[in-house]
Amino acid sequence: MSMKRTNVYADPEDLAIIKEAAKRRGISEAEIIRQGIHLAAMANRVWDEPLFSRTFEGPGRTPSKAEVRDTVADAVRREADPGGGTAA
């Protein structure tokens, strides 16, 4: 991946923390700064597509806490017993 050089102003206390973390982790200060830039870029990205592309059938209202709990519990039971609960 090609990189582009840029200059930024940073708080001296932040730079001291970065310097310490780089030494502790055995990586360059620049790598920590690149990771931070990437996190900031992703946090501010505007996506072209929605996060979920599928729609789900439902009652057309927000489910209650009990309905969510029961649905999750049913899914966990099905996953734990994929054979359908056959008795021995």
Side-chain angles (χ1 to χ4, degrees):
M1 165 176 42
S2 68
M3 303 237 182
K4 185 174 179 181
R5 182 184 172 108
T6 188
N7 294 320
V8 297
Y9 291 97
D11 185 276
E13 291 177 10
D14 291 338
L15 293 175
I17 293 169
I18 290 170
K19 183 183 234 37
E20 180 182 312
K23 184 177 179 182
R24 184 178 63 250
R25 293 176 59 196
I27 62 176
S28 70
E29 294 171 42
E31 181 58 27
I32 292 177
I33 293 168
R34 280 191 290 272
Q35 291 171 0
I37 290 171
H38 179 69
L39 290 172
M42 296 306 290
N44 290 284
R45 182 175 179 179
V46 176
W47 299 89
D48 295 335
E49 297 179 12
L51 180 61
F52 297 104
S53 59
R54 296 179 3 191
T55 57
F56 300 94
E57 291 185 22
R61 60 174 175 70
T62 302
S64 68
K65 288 182 182 180
E67 289 171 314
V68 171
R69 184 191 62 236
D70 293 344
T71 301
V72 171
D74 289 344
V76 169
R77 278 192 289 272
R78 281 193 305 274
E79 186 174 299
D81 186 18
T86 57

